[in-house]
Each structure stands twice: as structure tokens, then as C-alpha cells.
Amino acid sequence: MKKVLTLLLIICAVIGFNVNSSFAAVNKKINANIKTKRVPAGTVITLKMLDPVGSSTSSLGDQFDLMIVENVKVDKTIVIPQGSVIRGSIEEVNTPKMLYKGGVIRLDFDHIVSSTGKQVPFRAGICNNKQVTYDGALSSKTTYATAISKTSNTTKNIVVKPTKWAWEKGDDMLNGAPKYVFAPLTAIVSAPVAGIYFVGDAIVDVFKKGENIQINQGENIQVQLVKPLDMPVY
């Protein structure tokens, strides 16, 4: 009986060795066919948001996915095919606050999934976006100063538009002489109204929250690689 068991163990060991050798040979052959291509730093890539993010809707650490919009080529070779997925998370988020301070959100791009299924670190920053800040975050860029600027423009229009209207109407009457009366009178009447509006709106803006920053699902953004990206290709 012992001899039979010993023989069976020897047979199993031989079969197991052959199977492992076969798997090792296959893996070695696959690895031999895989090479890498380097996408240089500075390359601009267009991505589509697969998940919405926003300063009023996202929380710190929330994950999101993006998709490569167009093939990325190096030396005419497709290194990153269209449709490749990039995963990231919310690194910083600030909701809008009073004094018309706008929301801020910072995206961290973690990795890209290669055509071989490997996760490759993806280091990039948002570019070509009017809402990007000097340090790479996204902001609505609203402040109390921008609120006062809007109030000033509205205040100016309260005086300018009625005065312009009075000038044009007066120009159509009695060879245009009345415009020299209508326009100044309109400006004199409009000025106090504009002043009251400016003071009132400036006070309201102190307690008003700034605008939210939002990137919707399906919206495209452009990023620029800050580090080279070595992608495995066949």
C-alpha cells in the first residue's frame, strides 16, 4: 500500500511540474511580446468626464472616471487607444461662501488602465481652461471684488441706457434740439437711483455666496502630462 501511495505522489509531482513549466513558458512568451512606449511630459490629452464633479456636490476622496477621447500616438503608434479609462479622486473641495467667494475643487488623476489591463500611474494637470487656478485647481473665481464689478456695471447701465434713450428720442423732435434737455435731465434723475442701487447691492453681496464650480458628465477637459507616461503595448 505504501508503495502505491509513493508512486501516486511521484506521478502528481511530475504532472504538477510539467503544468507549472507550461504556464511559465506561456507567461514568458506573453511578456516577451509586451513593450513600452513613452508618452512625453507636456503632452496634452482630451478627456471626457464619465462622472460629474462639483464644489457643492462632491466630497473629499470621492472617486470619478474619465475616458480618453482620441487615440494618443507616439511615432505613429497608438500608445493610448480611444476609450481608455482614467481613474481619479477629489483631492480638495471648498464650497461657495459668503462675501461672494466661489467654490474650488481639485482633481487628482491616479492611474490609467492600459490595453493589457495594467494600472499605470497618470500624473497630469488641467490646462486650457479659463477656470483653472495658478496651482492647478478649478475655481469659479468669484470674489467680493467681482461682485462689486458686476454691481458697478449694472449701476452704470441705470444711468447710461435711459440717458441714451432720451438723447435718441430728443434727436427725433424739432431738429434734435430737445435732446440737449431730455438727456441731461434723464441723467440727473437716474444718478440718485443708481447710487441707491449700488450701495444696496454692495451690502447684499457681503452676505451672498459665490458661484459653484461644476464639471458635468460628458463634458470634455484637457490635461497636460506633468510626468512621462510609459505605456505597455504589444
Side-chain angles (χ1 to χ4, degrees), residues 24-190:
V26 170
N27 288 334
K28 186 175 181 181
K29 184 176 181 180
I30 292 175
N31 291 331
N33 291 332
I34 297 177
K35 296 182 279 188
T36 60
K37 278 279 189 179
R38 169 163 288 193
V39 183
T43 301
V44 175
I45 302 174
T46 302
L47 308 175
K48 177 181 289 187
M49 295 295 301
L50 299 181
D51 302 298
V53 296
S55 56
S56 290
T57 56
S58 299
S59 301
L60 189 66
D62 282 356
Q63 296 184 332
F64 59 87
D65 290 343
L66 309 97
M67 184 178 69
I68 298 288
V69 174
E70 298 175 344
N71 292 329
V72 178
K73 297 181 180 181
V74 175
D75 298 330
K76 298 182 179 180
T77 300
I78 296 177
V79 180
I80 309 177
Q82 176 185 1
S84 297
V85 174
I86 293 172
R87 296 192 168 95
S89 61
I90 305 297
E91 186 178 21
E92 177 186 355
V93 58
N94 295 317
T95 58
K97 295 178 175 61
M98 287 193 299
L99 277 175
Y100 212 64
K101 187 175 182 181
V104 177
I105 191 167
R106 188 186 304 277
L107 308 182
D108 176 48
F109 303 102
D110 184 66
H111 65 268
I112 181 172
V113 181
S114 73
S115 57
T116 63
K118 183 179 179 182
Q119 296 181 356
V120 181
F122 187 87
R123 298 292 176 259
I126 296 176
C127 64
N128 300 330
N129 190 310
K130 63 181 181 180
Q131 294 176 311
V132 68
T133 63
Y134 72 94
D135 60 348
L138 287 171
S139 169
S140 62
K141 296 187 177 180
T142 54
T143 62
Y144 188 66
T146 59
I148 290 296
S149 178
K150 289 181 179 180
T151 301
S152 298
N153 289 333
T154 304
T155 302
K156 181 181 71 174
N157 289 332
I158 290 174
V159 177
V160 171
K161 287 185 176 181
T163 303
K164 183 179 179 182
W165 177 85
W167 181 272
E168 291 174 349
K169 288 298 180 182
D171 195 39
D172 294 335
M173 302 167 59
L174 302 173
N175 297 322
K179 67 183 179 183
Y180 297 107
V181 178
F182 291 166
L185 285 175
T186 303
I188 291 171
V189 173
S190 301

